[in-house]
Amino acid sequence: MTEKTITTLTEFKWPQGFASDGVHAGLRKERKDMGWLYSQVPAQAAGCYTTNQFQAAPTALTKKTINVKHELQAMVMNSANANSCTGEQGEKDAATMQALAAEKLGIAPELVGVASTGLIGANLPMDIVKAGIAQMELTQNTAVTEAILTTDLHPKTITVTCEVGGQTVTISGFCKGSGMIHPKMATMLGFVTSDANIAGTQLQALLSAEVDSTFNQITVDGDTSTNDMVVVMANGLAKNPELTPDQADYSTFATALHQVLAFLAQAIAADGEGATKLVEANVKGAANGADGQKVAKTIVGSNLLKAAIFGEDANWGRVMSAIGQTDAQVDIHHVFVWLNGLALVENSRSAAFDEAEMKKAMQAEKIVLDVDLNSGAATGQAWGCDLTYKYVQINASYRN
Amino acid sequence: MTEKTITTLTEFKWPQGFASDGVHAGLRKERKDMGWLYSQVPAQAAGCYTTNQFQAAPTALTKKTINVKHELQAMVMNSANANSCTGEQGEKDAATMQALAAEKLGIAPELVGVASTGLIGANLPMDIVKAGIAQMELTQNTAVTEAILTTDLHPKTITVTCEVGGQTVTISGFCKGSGMIHPKMATMLGFVTSDANIAGTQLQALLSAEVDSTFNQITVDGDTSTNDMVVVMANGLAKNPELTPDQADYSTFATALHQVLAFLAQAIAADGEGATKLVEANVKGAANGADGQKVAKTIVGSNLLKAAIFGEDANWGRVMSAIGQTDAQVDIHHVFVWLNGLALVENSRSAAFDEAEMKKAMQAEKIVLDVDLNSGAATGQAWGCDLTYKYVQINASYRN
């Protein structure tokens, strides 16, 4: 078995058979606020959803729809309004949105998923939603990647290709997410399209395994949204032999999918509300994988450390305090920490770093904290961002 | 058994037999930075300590000291430097601080507790510590309540009295704490003195039970410090019959102690770094007490809700999102929330509140969120504060 190349394209493009659109329906003042995604043939589908007990109506509907036979031919989505905590009316509105999109596309409603994001607790203005769907066409543009944004500063997209069973398979993903980011099973809205030939249940198994080390390892503010979902659609038009775990190229596809999910997850952390820096924690020497993941996520989740990183202050005691807050196995006298390659902590004490050199390292847009717990051979990784004045400003008046 | 009155004094005073002092030793630029507390006879003592794995040297030493026979005659403390993550030198320094105080007081080192708070990771400058202890006297002033402060804006003190077995017992507490506040077993530094006659082990049982509903239910930023401790000293000079659970006045003393701990815990939340408002969550209708406590603490811990409260924005969806993040039993269609008495959420949907009236209610310095989970008869309570620009500013350059 030869190792196959996975190529990241410089520009986003849709896999074979996918079309989409994004429009300004009127839910927001000026920016695009509705979009859809369509495959010319029904696609195999998989999803992961928020674990928040108040799951929003569109999230619940999409989960129910996908779970029937892991098939989907379209997704319709809107920003500005989360259709969450909206009671029975909210459930009806999500179903109407599904039906309207299905009608315009000429497919069964059971093949349409629905996603909403934005303010919690307001009912969807259905006249605007209806007008928005009426406007939408089937195009090759990427307007849908803008239409799902809320406080995000820019769309987050990626396309990778790989060879599978002699065919070129394309995987394209996009997502939104900036605040209320602390996923437990999935995060905010993420959509991955592919022309790969793979069964829906197999796709679900792959996705469920991969979100744990990607979307579930990012945090912006420790709050888990009511609307989180990641959906993958694979329509088989690449005509590769069906992907199963015993196939030679299965691992190539799995790795390519992981790359897409990891890229999107990190892009959300980097575009966290008010963020000026992406923070990555790489933990090694953990007793087991769960410990490594837990320590990494606690580090990037510490408000105090996030504020210090914003201030470019090498306050390493806050890294130690975060590690010590977990119940992970830690050799408490032999922890090591490096910041962008410079030694910060040696044997649980301050390394003899040069303040000026460290300050300079902290001016980078990406801060990488490498941590050695000296307690085993497992690792863990997580991504977050700094805590800034802008985060407070954005969230002090989100409803206005 | 008649219900006994518990009186909160308008001014702080020390219980019988206690003396103290606070001085400027030079660990800080201008403010007082060292203090002590002394009882003319050995006092029965109890403590609760941080669960952070990197327990600071003074915290570990005090725990070890108290655990020998639950006796203490003095405490010596400093601010500005936490003596945490300081290795063997840190352990030696804490022991030296204990020995120097004991020597000057003419008592055994085994009767002296040590507490430090401030920056993690720097060694204590022992010449300054030594000079500070040399300066200290035994007075009735309250300078020690200032000497332990870091980013706190003001000392947090309380004195209550109650009748126990025909004698007047005084309980006086003070504490510090403003950032890195998310206690698990105890918080920051809290000291309670009393002239009550009660065995140390009994005092320990009382304290351990009471911290769960007081100090453990506050959060400023979700970070658990390495130095947390609450210590109670009772010297018996009130000459009440020894307090045991089968005694008529035991519950009076327990209630009075609870009042002191609850007051101090709330005072820390209200004086949270950069805070402009105290936030209290009162949960009822919980399936059990743990669920109630968990939901209350998750609500006051939500960064998003904290920022909205700073902005006086009635973003009730964030209360729902916080509740839903927990695994507590929730009747998801029948949750009710009130803000300072005004209905905010009814049956998990927006109540028909008047925006202007709600905005006015949010201008108060204390925001009380009453929550009904409709899932049982248990309750829970927690305290926090808003998230402000000032919090970010303070923590962006804490080391400087």
Side-chain angles (χ1 to χ4, degrees), chain B residues 216-375:
Chain B
N216 283 356
Q217 282 299 105
I218 60 172
T219 183
V220 168
D221 46 22
D223 282 283
T224 304
S225 147
T226 52
N227 288 54
D228 295 352
M229 73 168 89
V230 180
V231 171
V232 183
M233 293 167 68
N235 66 12
L237 294 184
K239 301 199 189 318
N240 57 289
E242 187 181 320
L243 280 161
T244 52
D246 53 357
Q247 248 221 357
D249 288 336
Y250 182 80
S251 67
T252 304
F253 180 77
T255 304
L257 181 64
H258 175 84
Q259 274 189 22
V260 168
L261 296 172
F263 172 87
L264 295 174
Q266 289 176 54
I268 285 179
D271 194 18
E273 282 175 343
T276 69
K277 293 176 195 295
L278 169 66
V279 182
E280 177 176 293
N282 296 312
V283 173
K284 65 176 180 178
N288 54 63
D291 272 10
Q293 299 280 71
K294 193 187 299 176
V295 169
K297 198 163 176 184
T298 304
I299 290 172
V300 299
S302 160
N303 273 354
L304 286 169
L305 182 62
K306 285 152 60 85
I309 287 173
F310 170 55
E312 298 174 353
D313 182 17
N315 198 329
W316 61 269
R318 293 180 177 171
V319 181
M320 300 300 281
S321 176
I323 297 169
Q325 276 175 57
T326 70
D327 59 3
Q329 195 179 317
V330 177
D331 181 345
I332 61 168
H333 297 299
H334 300 97
V335 169
F336 288 71
V337 182
W338 297 262
L339 188 152
N340 286 5
L342 299 178
L344 189 64
V345 175
E346 284 175 2
N347 290 317
S348 301
R349 304 199 45 194
S350 186
F353 59 82
D354 180 78
E355 281 279 352
E357 193 185 10
M358 190 61 80
K359 183 95 189 166
K360 190 147 186 293
M362 294 196 72
Q363 288 165 8
E365 280 187 11
K366 181 172 179 182
I367 302 295
V368 178
L369 290 161
D370 290 298
V371 174
D372 188 348
L373 301 177
N374 259 309
S375 301

Side-chain angles (χ1 to χ4, degrees), chain A residues 38 57 59 61 177 205 262 287 310 396-397:
Chain A
Y38 170 78
T59 312
L61 180 61
F310 170 56
S397 57

Side-chain angles (χ1 to χ4, degrees), chain B residues 374-391:
Chain B
N374 259 309
S375 301
T379 63
Q381 203 173 24
W383 300 271
C385 59
D386 53 350
L387 176 61
T388 70
Y389 300 126
K390 189 87 184 170
Y391 176 88

Side-chain angles (χ1 to χ4, degrees), chain B residues 37-54:
Chain B
L37 190 61
Y38 170 78
S39 167
Q40 57 182 237
V41 296
Q44 296 298 295
C48 283
Y49 316 90
T50 184
T51 53
N52 192 302
Q53 295 196 52
F54 295 101

Side-chain angles (χ1 to χ4, degrees), chain B residues 10 24 27 44 91-92 123 138 183 203 206 212 237 251 295 315 350 354 356:
Chain B
T10 51
H24 174 249
L27 296 166
Q44 296 298 295
E91 291 169 26
K92 278 185 202 157
N123 281 117
L138 294 178
L203 197 59
L206 254 185
D212 273 343
L237 294 184
S251 67
V295 169
N315 198 329
S350 186
D354 180 78

Side-chain angles (χ1 to χ4, degrees), chain A residues 231-244:
Chain A
V231 170
V232 184
M233 292 167 68
N235 67 11
L237 293 183
K239 301 201 189 316
N240 57 288
E242 187 182 320
L243 281 159
T244 50

Side-chain angles (χ1 to χ4, degrees), chain A residues 66-217:
Chain A
I66 290 182
N67 281 356
V68 176
K69 43 182 187 165
H70 284 284
E71 258 188 40
L72 220 54
Q73 193 164 358
M75 283 286 318
V76 57
M77 44 280 232
N78 73 276
S79 55
N81 184 314
N83 191 9
S84 171
C85 297
T86 44
E88 278 179 35
Q89 189 59 47
E91 290 170 27
K92 280 184 203 161
D93 291 345
T96 303
M97 198 165 149
Q98 179 186 48
L100 288 169
E103 192 186 349
K104 177 146 186 191
L105 291 166
I107 60 176
E110 293 76 26
L111 287 172
V112 181
V114 181
S116 300
T117 180
L119 183 68
I120 295 174
N123 281 117
L124 268 177
M126 291 306 293
D127 49 336
I128 297 179
V129 168
K130 192 174 177 179
I133 291 172
Q135 272 188 69
M136 291 194 277
E137 304 294 339
L138 294 178
T139 81
Q140 290 297 302
N141 72 28
T142 57
V144 67
T145 69
E146 292 166 45
I148 58 169
L149 306 182
T150 55
T151 49
D152 307 61
L153 295 182
H154 54 78
K156 292 168 259 293
T157 66
I158 182 172
T159 301
V160 306
T161 62
C162 56
E163 293 292 307
V164 174
Q167 303 295 333
T168 300
V169 161
T170 301
I171 307 177
S172 288
F174 63 103
C175 66
K176 67 84 53 179
S178 194
M180 207 176 264
I181 302 287
H182 189 76
K184 283 190 225 153
M185 295 317 291
T187 188
M188 300 308 290
L189 303 184
F191 303 100
V192 178
T193 54
S194 177
D195 46 20
N197 178 20
I198 180 170
T201 48
Q202 191 58 54
L203 198 57
Q204 183 69 51
L206 252 185
L207 176 65
S208 298
E210 292 297 345
V211 292
D212 273 345
S213 62
T214 56
F215 284 103
N216 283 355
Q217 283 299 105

